[in-house]
Amino acid sequence: MPLALLALAIGAFGIGTTEFVIMGLLPEVAGDFGVTIPTAGWLVTGYALGVVIGAPLMTVLGTKISRKRMLMLLMGLFIAGNVLSALAPVFPVMVAGRLVASLAHGAFFGIGAVVAADLVAPAKKAGAIAMMFTGLTVANVVGVPLGTYVGQAAGWRTTFFLVAALGVLGLVGIVKLVPEIPKAEGVSLRNELAAFRNVQVLLAMAMTVLGFGGVFAAITYISPMMTEVAGFADSSVTWLLVLFGLGMVGGNLVGGRFADRALMPMLYVTLGSLALVLALFTVTAHNKVAAAVTITLIGALGFATVPPLQKRVLDQAAGAPTLASAVNIGAFNLGNALAALIGGMVISAGFGYTAPNWVGAALAAAALLLALVSGALDRRDPARGARVVTGSAGAAEPALQH
């Protein structure tokens, strides 16, 4: 694998760290600014909404310049947003910093995946993309727990300065290691937008919103849930996030392994199991051992849906998948935003810190229902499915080169 993939993975590591580390620092941030935990949850919601807006917007802007320069610009935004968050004198400025950083998220992964695929032979494209996304999953094992520990020991502002430093490292790597890749002729924004007329693309994105939203409904409020309900010490949140991250790494590997073999059955199993585990979390959250096991399972089942859902979008948007791929990254974060918002609402309504788990279970169950509908549509028109597979192997190739 080219060294350029390391630069992309470092950028992904930084982005993954800043996205998830805030969940372990919500009590500290809320206390510093004098706001409630649900209000502090807007730092999760606002970031996610910024990804939803930024993914298509920045990807479209990226068609005007080279992909390397666009990646450099995105890392610049990421650095600026985290520095602003670290220096924020009041809560609204902190929210603004999170929004600035979030604009880089979706487009970085969407454009970065295309660049990663262009760097290797056709038979190694999936491995190259997975290498970049490894930075995101490892962030949840190393970056997020370490950032939470540093934030609790030295102040949350120190964590965001360190994340900005990761962005600088990623930027230097992109400048030095990522080559200029010329854009191919014949690929237009109109072709990219045409993918959104496919109902299966829209169904896949809706599954993304609901399925991963179910994960965030519970995990956004893991810190107060584990300290107030399970009885863990504040310092224990760090290793609980390690367990969640390990689950994500394992789920990503399993999901990627089976996405090419049995994509829709994989979605049925993972979404159904995720809904069940989230519902059980309302009970297991009262026991330390059971809660730790459940958190690991939520990470594994939640991220096991990511490779098949992303592949589903790419297959159904064959011929011009770049924008659809970036928008689907935004869809993950739209689910995060909605789930964090609803979770905060049920807590504020007095239902307790475990109530968001029921929200997550309902969202995952709704995603399973949509998966069953999508699978039924495939069975009604198998000839169309065959054409999609053929297109993704051939017609999609030019879109990955522009």
Side-chain angles (χ1 to χ4, degrees):
M1 290 290 181
L3 281 176
L5 293 177
L6 177 61
L8 296 175
I10 292 172
F13 180 84
I15 290 174
T17 299
T18 204
E19 178 182 19
F20 293 108
V21 75
I22 189 64
M23 294 180 294
L25 297 175
L26 277 184
E28 286 75 17
V29 175
D32 196 9
F33 287 119
V35 299
T36 65
I37 290 291
T39 298
W42 275 99
L43 296 173
V44 178
T45 302
Y47 184 94
L49 290 175
V51 177
V52 174
I53 297 169
L57 176 63
M58 301 306 289
T59 300
V60 169
L61 291 176
T63 62
K64 305 299 182 182
I65 61 177
S66 73
R67 294 201 174 279
K68 176 175 179 175
R69 293 186 180 183
M70 191 60 194
L71 288 172
M72 292 165 56
L73 172 62
L74 293 171
M75 289 312 299
L77 279 175
F78 173 78
I79 295 166
N82 281 284
V83 170
L84 181 59
S85 294
L87 296 174
V90 293
F91 185 71
V93 176
M94 175 71 171
V95 174
R98 294 283 289 169
L99 284 171
V100 172
S102 70
L103 293 176
H105 186 122
F108 182 88
F109 282 106
I111 295 173
V114 176
V115 170
D118 282 341
L119 292 172
V120 298
K124 296 183 178 180
K125 289 183 183 294
I129 295 172
M131 177 67 74
M132 183 191 70
F133 274 92
T134 297
L136 176 63
T137 58
V138 172
N140 287 275
V141 180
V142 179
V144 172
L146 182 60
T148 301
Y149 174 78
V150 170
Q152 292 174 342
W156 60 267
R157 296 179 188 274
T158 303
T159 295
F160 283 94
F161 277 125
L162 291 176
V163 172
L166 283 174
V168 173
L169 185 61
L171 175 60
V172 171
I174 291 170
V175 172
K176 297 293 185 180
L177 299 175
V178 175
E180 290 282 0
I181 300 175
K183 295 183 290 184
E185 301 295 331
V187 178
S188 67
L189 178 60
R190 180 178 180 181
N191 292 336
E192 297 281 354
L193 291 172
F196 296 94
R197 294 199 295 266
N198 185 341
V199 67
Q200 289 285 30
V201 170
L202 300 180
L203 280 172
M205 291 180 176
M207 283 184 265
T208 297
V209 171
L210 296 171
F212 214 67
V215 174
F216 257 67
I219 297 302
T220 296
Y221 301 98
I222 185 175
S223 185
M225 190 190 309
M226 290 298 94
T227 55
E228 299 295 330
V229 178
F232 282 105
D234 289 344
S235 59
S236 298
V237 175
T238 298
W239 68 262
L240 288 171
L241 289 173
V242 170
L243 293 178
F244 177 69
L246 288 172
M248 290 181 70
V249 173
N252 180 52
L253 294 174
V254 173
R257 189 176 188 84
F258 286 95
D260 287 320
R261 300 181 182 182
L263 192 150
M264 293 308 294
M266 180 68 183
L267 283 177
Y268 302 151
V269 172
T270 53
L271 290 172
S273 300
L274 179 61
L276 178 61
V277 169
L278 284 167
L280 288 175
F281 199 22
T282 58
V283 177
T284 60
H286 295 270
N287 178 275
K288 290 183 178 179
V289 175
V293 172
T294 306
I295 288 169
T296 307
L297 288 174
I298 291 173
L301 292 169
F303 223 81
T305 67
V306 175
L309 283 171
Q310 195 71 9
K311 185 176 186 297
R312 180 73 171 170
V313 170
L314 293 176
D315 286 348
Q316 297 296 329
T322 308
L323 182 58
S325 176
V327 171
N328 197 50
I329 297 296
F332 281 106
N333 287 271
L334 176 60
N336 300 350
L338 293 175
L341 177 61
I342 298 172
M345 290 172 62
V346 296
I347 292 174
S348 297
F351 291 103
Y353 285 122
T354 62
N357 299 330
W358 285 115
V359 174
L363 291 173
L368 173 60
L369 179 61
L370 291 183
L372 293 171
V373 171
S374 182
L377 292 177
D378 277 348
R379 290 189 295 273
R380 285 179 57 187
D381 190 4
R384 184 182 182 282
R387 292 195 298 273
V388 168
V389 172
T390 301
S392 65
E397 193 68 24
L400 290 173
Q401 302 295 328
H402 79 285

